[in-house]
C-alpha cells in the first residue's frame, strides 16, 4: 500500500529546473544524499478524544504510559521524522503532502505504512540507507528501565534497541547503520512539561552497488 498520489512534475521536480546549467551535469544521481526530518506532537490523557491509540514511538508500544499521542495517524514521531528525512534526501514533497491529515485513509493508520512508502521511493531511485541518526526529545516515558521484567542486574532494559530493530526491518538495512538516542527537555516548554514530544532525524542515503 502506498500513497500513489504525488506527481513529481507538480512540484517542479523535473528536468530543466536547473536553467542554464548543462543538463549532463545533473544526469547522474549523486553517490550520497542527506536529509533532515522533524516532528512534534501534543500528548494528552487517554480520555482525550483526539488521542488515536496507544503511545507508540519507533514502533514500540508503551501500553502502560498514562498519556497518548494526539495525531491523525498513530502519531509515531520517530517514523514520521525518518520518513520526512528520506523524502528530503530524495528532494520529494514532505510526509504531509504524501499522506495529508485531511485524508480519511490515514486516520489511525500505523506509521509502518509511511515507512514502507519511504523505502519504496528510496529503493526505486537506487538508494539504500547509509546511516540514520535519531534524537528523540521527551520528558517521558523513560527509555531505559532497571525495573523492567527483561532487565538484569548488569543490563537495564533499553527500549531504543527495539526501535533500532524496527527501523532496520522496515528499511531493510543492518542495525549498525542506525542510532537512536533520547534526551529530556529539562522540564522546559511543552515537551519538558509532558504536553508534547518531538524528534529530529538525520539520514544519509547511498547509491546501491
Amino acid at each position: 500500500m502506498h500513497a500513489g498520489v504525488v506527481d513529481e512534475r507538480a512540484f517542479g521536480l523535473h528536468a530543466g529546473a536547473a536553467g542554464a546549467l548543462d543538463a549532463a551535469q545533473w544526469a547522474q544521481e549523486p553517490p550520497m544524499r542527506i536529509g533532515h526530518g522533524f516532528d512534534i506532537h501534543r500528548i494528552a490523557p487517554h480520555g482525550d478524544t483526539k488521542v488515536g491509540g496507544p503511545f507508540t514511538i519507533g514502533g514500540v508500544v508503551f501500553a502502560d504510559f498514562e498519556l497518548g499521542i494526539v495525531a491523525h495517524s498513530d502519531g509515531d514521531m520517530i517514523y514520521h521524522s525518518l520518513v520526512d528525512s528520506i523524502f528530503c534526501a530524495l528532494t520529494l514533497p514532505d510526509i504531509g503532502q504524501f499522506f495529508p491529515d485531511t485524508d480519511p485513509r490515514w486516520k489511525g493508520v500505523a506509521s509502518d505504512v509511511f515507512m514502507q512508502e519511504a523505502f519504496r521511493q528510496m529503493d526505486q531511485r537506487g538508494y539504500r540507507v547509509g546511516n540514520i541518526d535519531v534524537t528523540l526529545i521527551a520528558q517521558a516515558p523513560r527509555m531505559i528501565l532497571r525495573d523492567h521484567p527483561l532487565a538484569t542486574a548488569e543490563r537495564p532494559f533499553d527500549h531504543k534497541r527495539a526501535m533500532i530493530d524496527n527501523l532496520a526491518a522496515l528499511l531493510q538495512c543492518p542495525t549498525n547503520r542506525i542510532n537512536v538516542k533520547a534526551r529530556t527537555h529539562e522540564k522546559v516548554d511543552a515537551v519538558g512539561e509532558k504536553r508534547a514530544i518531538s524528534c529530529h532525524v538525520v539520514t544519509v542515503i547511498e547509491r546501491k552497488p
Side-chain angles (χ1 to χ4, degrees), residues 22 34 39 46-47 67-68 80 84 88-89 103 129 135 155 163 177 201 208:
D22 182 359
I34 186 168
D39 196 23
H46 286 288
L67 301 174
H80 295 182
D84 248 352
C88 173
D103 190 331
V129 169
T135 304
R155 188 176 185 180
M163 296 176 186
R177 298 294 184 101
V201 176
K208 292 186 288 187

Side-chain angles (χ1 to χ4, degrees), residues 102-117:
T102 54
D103 190 331
R105 287 183 297 167
W106 316 125
K107 178 65 176 176
V109 74
S111 294
D112 299 44
V113 171
F114 310 152
M115 290 281 285
Q116 289 160 4
E117 177 64 12

Side-chain angles (χ1 to χ4, degrees), residues 87-144:
F87 287 168
C88 173
L90 294 169
T91 61
L92 291 172
D94 62 45
I95 189 173
Q97 290 171 279
F98 269 87
F99 304 101
D101 61 9
T102 54
D103 190 331
R105 287 183 297 167
W106 316 125
K107 178 65 176 176
V109 74
S111 294
D112 299 44
V113 171
F114 310 152
M115 290 281 285
Q116 289 160 4
E117 177 64 12
F119 174 79
R120 190 185 74 86
Q121 294 284 347
M122 177 175 64
D123 185 61
Q124 74 176 8
R125 286 276 291 275
Y127 286 94
R128 66 183 184 184
V129 169
N131 71 283
I132 294 168
D133 186 52
V134 176
T135 304
L136 177 68
I137 308 170
Q139 202 67 34
R142 291 183 299 155
M143 294 295 112
I144 299 177

Side-chain angles (χ1 to χ4, degrees), residues 4 12 17 32 37 41 52 54 64 68-70 75 84-85 120 127 153 176 187:
M32 184 180 298
H41 282 282
D64 296 330
I69 299 171
V70 176
D84 248 352
S85 71
R120 190 185 74 86
Y127 286 94
N176 64 9
K187 300 183 179 180

